[in-house]
Amino acid sequence: MDSLIINGGKKLIGDIPISGSKNACLPMMIASLMTDEKVTLKNVPLLSDVKTLISILESIGTNAVYINKNLSLHTKEIINHRASYDLVKKMRASFWVLAPLLAKSGYAEVSLPGGCAIGTRPINLYLKILKEMNINYTINNGYVVAKREGPIKGINFKLEKKSVGCTHFFLMLASLANGTSKLSNASCEPEVIHLGSLLIKMGAKIKGLGSKKIIIEGVEKLNSITEIIPSDRIETGTFAIAVSATGGKIKLENTNYEENKLLFNILEKTGSIINKSKNSISIEKTHNRINPANIKTSAYPGFPTDLQAQIMALMTISNGKSEIKENIFENRFMHVQELVRMGANIKLDKDRAIIKGVKQLNGADVMATDLRASASLIIAGLVAKGITKISRIYHLDRGFYNLDNKLNNCGASIKRISE
Ligand code: EPZ
């Protein structure tokens, strides 16, 4: 298993190319099952989650070829309707293949995704969508076995809570349904817009992407497409928070300001200087005073839960008291105890973390518990005095492409070791 050894105290200065978005890429790859023609995706980050999903698509019958960030996916015929537990358990979002399998072939056996470090990750809302669409399913031996008799019928459905995955799931099922569907309380995350735009370019008829009400008029079939994966807003936010903690100046290239507007406003209030230009954003921190901030995670355009662990690392060295409320996942504070090992002063009270800034974090041996927690510990290690060793770094490689080298190219001192 790999670990990272970080020698803290270095400022970050330099340019960082932002990679393609993991959370846009995964649903867009799954949407390739919606057509028997070729789908080519460009700027695909070769993350372990992407590799896991390629394996699942190949097991279903997709011919996948990845060359120099371009991924071509061609599923001439669905030869296997089963997405197995050993792959789905590695990457929960693979559960979403249930939608195109049902839309295209009418039958699917997909492993229940199971929970993960940040929560139980239930699928009750997905099952409600199937039921409303008259798609029969049973749950046997840890698998959802679903079969539809006849075409999927268009429905009006209101999500009882915001769910990005359920919005993706509904968009794919409804795109090939018989009739018109309306989804209320839909998620507005940029990734929903990216998936919906891909489907539209493939021939789907979708209106209202980015709003809470999406209308989909079902069509007969979807067609071949070539599309570019947009930049990763969570990677962008992670680097912006990192330089706000270490001091220095970085320029994030090929990325998008709008998708992280709220974060940049917060970082400016903590004392960073943010300048945007057409395709890049520069973040500068010229002094070591960090003002505290109170954060509440929520669905887009609120503060993203996927940046909660990272902003907490920044708040551990602010010159005041901050409060972070996690409203999306029930167990997304696994990084807290690891930060406390480094000298952070954090108290947990159910879904709230109260952080009292300290002058200095100290290097320590810590353990990554999940994807975004790994980034939080790296930010803490970058500012800590001395050496920090972060184990179980496979979590990081699920969702951040080459993050350690990108930071080293800006003056950080991070070594990856295999043990
Ligand atoms: C997506 O997960 C992202 N993953 C997550 O990013 C992100 O944190 C989350 O959306 C934000 O909402 C991908 O895009 C691959 P949800 P998803 O359905 O779709 C509850 C990362 O670090 N819920 O929006 O699985 C659920 O438990 C990952 O990149 C139900 O109760 O999340 C959660 O509390 C982590 N029943 C809330 O909804 C259901 O049937 C929002 O989850 C479905 C969800």
Side-chain angles (χ1 to χ4, degrees):
M1 270 205 251
D2 284 3
S3 297
L4 291 183
I5 309 283
I6 305 178
N7 186 356
K10 318 267 189 289
K11 288 188 185 310
L12 294 176
I13 298 169
D15 298 349
I16 300 180
I18 297 298
S19 301
S21 162
K22 167 180 88 80
N23 287 353
C25 184
L26 296 174
M28 291 165 82
M29 287 168 65
I30 291 170
S32 71
L33 292 171
M34 300 288 288
T35 176
D36 49 17
E37 297 175 11
K38 189 172 175 181
V39 171
T40 304
L41 300 172
K42 298 183 169 212
N43 191 34
V44 172
L46 199 51
L47 302 163
S48 52
D49 272 7
V50 169
K51 290 178 191 164
T52 301
L53 185 53
I54 288 174
S55 305
I56 290 171
L57 295 177
E58 286 175 329
S59 75
I60 289 170
T62 306
N63 178 32
V65 179
Y66 183 87
I67 300 171
N68 190 18
K69 294 202 286 186
N70 292 344
L71 175 63
S72 84
L73 298 166
H74 195 176
T75 313
K76 286 192 186 117
E77 191 195 348
I78 292 173
I79 54 165
N80 167 32
H81 295 79
R82 187 179 174 86
S84 69
Y85 173 64
D86 61 325
L87 286 170
V88 173
K89 74 180 176 191
K90 283 187 197 164
M91 205 272 290
R92 291 188 67 269
S94 14
F95 178 74
W96 300 341
V97 300
L98 182 58
L101 285 176
L102 284 169
K104 278 294 284 165
S105 72
Y107 178 73
E109 297 174 17
V110 176
S111 166
L112 289 169
C116 68
I118 64 176
T120 52
R121 315 297 292 271
I123 59 161
N124 58 312
L125 302 179
Y126 293 91
L127 299 177
K128 275 194 179 159
I129 291 172
L130 295 183
K131 195 159 179 297
E132 288 294 303
M133 287 186 166
N134 271 342
I135 295 173
N136 303 320
Y137 70 84
T138 56
I139 295 183
N140 294 330
N141 313 320
Y143 281 76
V144 175
V145 180
K147 183 175 169 53
R148 64 177 165 83
E149 312 296 337
I152 294 172
K153 68 181 183 62
I155 60 166
N156 294 347
F157 187 82
K158 180 174 170 50
L159 276 169
E160 60 197 67
K161 73 188 296 186
K162 289 272 187 192
S163 163
V164 170
C166 286
T167 304
H168 291 337
F169 191 76
F170 190 93
L171 281 184
M172 288 190 275
L173 284 169
S175 292
L176 289 179
N178 195 351
T180 300
S181 301
K182 282 196 190 90
L183 178 63
S184 307
N185 199 26
S187 289
C188 308
E189 270 69 2
E191 292 75 31
V192 169
I193 299 174
H194 298 314
L195 172 66
S197 308
L198 175 80
L199 290 168
I200 289 169
K201 289 180 185 173
M202 293 169 74
K205 290 185 180 156
I206 302 171
K207 287 199 179 75
L209 287 171
S211 77
K212 289 182 186 164
K213 176 161 262 182
I214 302 179
I215 298 171
I216 307 109
E217 194 188 321
V219 295
E220 284 290 307
K221 77 184 282 287
L222 296 179
N223 312 304
S224 178
I225 189 72
T226 295
E227 184 60 293
I228 298 172
I229 301 296
S231 62
D232 192 315
R233 64 187 173 105
I234 303 304
E235 185 190 12
T236 299
T238 299
F239 285 123
I241 294 167
V243 69
S244 300
T246 60
K249 182 176 183 179
I250 58 172
K251 186 168 81 160
L252 303 179
E253 297 166 333
N254 315 320
T255 189
N256 172 307
Y257 178 87
E258 286 310 308
E259 292 180 350
N260 268 309
K261 213 162 151 188
L262 176 60
L263 169 74
F264 291 133
N265 294 343
I266 291 168
L267 290 180
E268 281 175 329
K269 289 196 184 102
T270 65
S272 298
I273 301 163
I274 315 267
N275 283 304
K276 63 178 176 178
S277 60
K278 191 166 174 305
N279 262 340
S280 64
I281 304 161
S282 85
I283 302 100
E284 185 173 13
K285 187 69 189 295
T286 54
H287 55 82
N288 55 12
R289 178 189 167 81
I290 298 168
N291 301 323
N294 293 323
I295 307 275
K296 289 189 178 125
T297 65
S298 70
Y300 194 89
F303 192 91
T305 174
D306 294 349
L307 286 173
Q308 179 259 100
Q310 296 93 312
I311 197 100
M312 186 182 288
L314 176 66
M315 291 298 111
T316 64
I317 52 171
S318 82
N319 50 16
K321 186 175 152 199
S322 308
E323 178 177 313
I324 295 182
K325 193 161 181 306
E326 172 55 57
N327 293 313
I328 305 290
F329 290 107
E330 69 269 27
N331 189 37
R332 202 167 201 176
F333 284 142
M334 302 283 279
H335 42 285
V336 168
Q337 291 321 317
E338 302 305 303
L339 291 169
V340 167
R341 284 178 52 73
M342 299 176 71
N345 179 341
I346 308 171
K347 298 273 179 297
L348 287 181
D349 172 17
K350 300 192 194 72
D351 54 0
R352 287 181 327 133
I354 292 93
I355 306 114
K356 282 201 183 111
V358 295
K359 272 232 166 310
Q360 175 89 56
L361 293 180
N362 300 305
D365 287 3
V366 291
M367 185 177 79
T369 50
D370 57 87
L371 166 56
R372 307 305 177 180
S374 325
S376 172
L377 297 178
I378 289 173
I379 292 169
L382 289 173
V383 301
K385 183 165 176 286
I387 303 289
T388 298
K389 179 180 175 186
I390 307 174
S391 59
R392 302 192 182 184
I393 212 65
Y394 60 84
H395 288 292
L396 180 81
D397 297 334
R398 289 193 49 197
F400 288 102
Y401 180 69
N402 218 9
L403 186 127
D404 35 342
N405 289 331
K406 289 181 180 180
L407 288 167
N408 283 335
N409 291 341
C410 291
S413 166
I414 305 174
K415 214 164 54 204
R416 181 182 282 254
I417 59 167
S418 295
E419 293 175 302

